[in-house]
Amino acid sequence: MIEENVKKLLEEIPAYNAYGEKVTLVAAVKLQTADSINRAVRGGITDIGDNHVQEFRDKYALIEGKPRRHFIGRLQTNKIKYLLGKVDLYHSVDRYGLAEELSKKSEKAGVTSNVLIQINIGNEETKGGFPLEEAEEAFKTISALPALNVEGLMAMLPATGNETLLRSLARAMRKKYDELNSNGASFKYLSMGMSGDFKLCVEEGGNMIRLGTAIFGKRSV
Ligand SMILES: *Cc1c(COP(=O)(O)O)cnc(C)c1O
């Protein structure tokens, strides 16, 4: 099932892509066994994203095929040390304190960390990230840190069935991404889209999507 889901998704995704960019599918692997993750990799997954540091550590050596590793969950600064040099892209830089610590610890370890700046596009209290209005300031401050390389923006759309609202938020994200890109940034990724909303996110210009349920089926949490 998992391998077939991946194959179908990889075939399906380009059809939604209105921007002509490569759309990267990141498998969101929280709560999945190493065996399930390896099935997804066999199906064609090249990128996997973890939410929890403990799970990342437990399964790190068990993953086959050397997929690129993403960290997509909320990150506590005291856990950075377990990820340094192992994560190819941190999606969820949602506050200045985290950016500063990640830079400091990366520098000490002699690595550069690739990051995305998380935007709280729905202004939700339960979600981290900078308000959209602060995106430019956050970009300037974070890209000035010595050991970070800012490669784009990340957003989680609110859990609503209101497609008009979702589209307008996704469009606002793409607009900000393009604006910063023509204003000094050299972004490559707009990480936006989960199982419930990835079609519209890709249609509106997301070029990196993070799918869990659509690949692995329903999780208990
Ligand atoms: C769990 C998770 C996803 C995937 O969610 P699905 O709805 O299962 O596709 C994507 N992004 C983040 C940050 C997540 O925590």
Side-chain angles (χ1 to χ4, degrees):
M1 257 325 255
I2 293 172
E3 289 179 64
E4 280 138 45
N5 290 345
V6 170
K7 284 185 183 137
K8 257 191 241 152
L9 285 162
L10 289 172
E11 271 174 27
E12 180 188 344
I13 290 161
Y16 309 123
N17 181 0
Y19 281 72
E21 296 166 346
K22 179 181 157 43
V23 176
T24 302
L25 170 55
V26 178
V29 300
K30 57 175 174 266
L31 302 173
Q32 305 302 332
T33 62
D35 182 52
S36 294
I37 300 167
N38 287 330
R39 281 171 209 261
V41 171
R42 268 178 247 132
I45 285 293
T46 55
D47 293 73
I48 68 176
D50 275 275
N51 278 75
H52 305 294
V53 173
Q54 190 61 49
E55 275 191 57
F56 174 87
R57 296 178 71 196
D58 289 346
K59 290 178 274 185
Y60 186 77
L62 304 174
I63 306 305
E64 297 160 7
K66 295 203 173 17
R68 276 185 296 272
R69 307 301 297 254
H70 301 248
F71 196 80
I72 63 177
R74 195 171 268 188
L75 180 55
Q76 294 167 263
T77 51
N78 62 348
K79 305 251 173 87
I80 291 171
K81 56 178 180 274
Y82 301 116
L83 302 179
L84 279 179
K86 292 182 171 157
V87 166
D88 297 292
L89 184 62
Y90 297 84
H91 289 228
S92 42
V93 172
D94 58 357
R95 56 200 194 275
Y96 290 118
L98 173 60
E100 283 155 15
E101 273 305 303
L102 186 55
S103 178
K104 209 191 282 177
K105 294 201 162 82
S106 298
E107 202 173 14
K108 261 193 204 147
V111 299
T112 300
S113 293
N114 298 319
V115 303
L116 305 179
I117 296 172
Q118 184 173 347
I119 303 296
N120 188 352
I121 189 64
N123 288 318
E124 295 176 278
E125 271 175 32
T126 52
K127 291 199 175 116
F130 297 91
L132 187 66
E133 304 74 47
E134 276 178 36
E136 182 166 7
E137 197 187 321
F139 165 67
K140 286 192 172 140
T141 306
I142 294 170
S143 59
L145 293 169
L148 299 188
N149 178 29
V150 183
E151 297 206 294
L153 304 177
M154 181 272 214
M156 286 169 89
L157 299 184
T160 166
N162 183 342
E163 192 175 323
T164 313
L165 172 64
L166 292 173
R167 274 193 195 278
S168 76
L169 295 175
R171 206 169 294 159
M173 279 301 304
R174 179 67 200 209
K175 189 164 168 240
K176 184 59 75 182
Y177 174 86
D178 288 337
E179 198 181 292
L180 294 178
N181 241 348
S182 54
N183 203 358
S186 36
F187 287 166
K188 292 196 279 193
Y189 306 119
L190 176 54
S191 170
M192 176 172 80
M194 306 183 13
S195 295
D197 58 21
F198 74 93
K199 293 176 196 176
L200 75 91
C201 283
V202 174
E203 285 169 355
E204 300 297 345
N207 58 26
M208 184 169 263
I209 58 180
R210 310 172 309 268
L211 306 186
T213 311
I215 295 173
F216 298 106
K218 228 170 160 196
R219 286 180 304 272
S220 48
V221 230

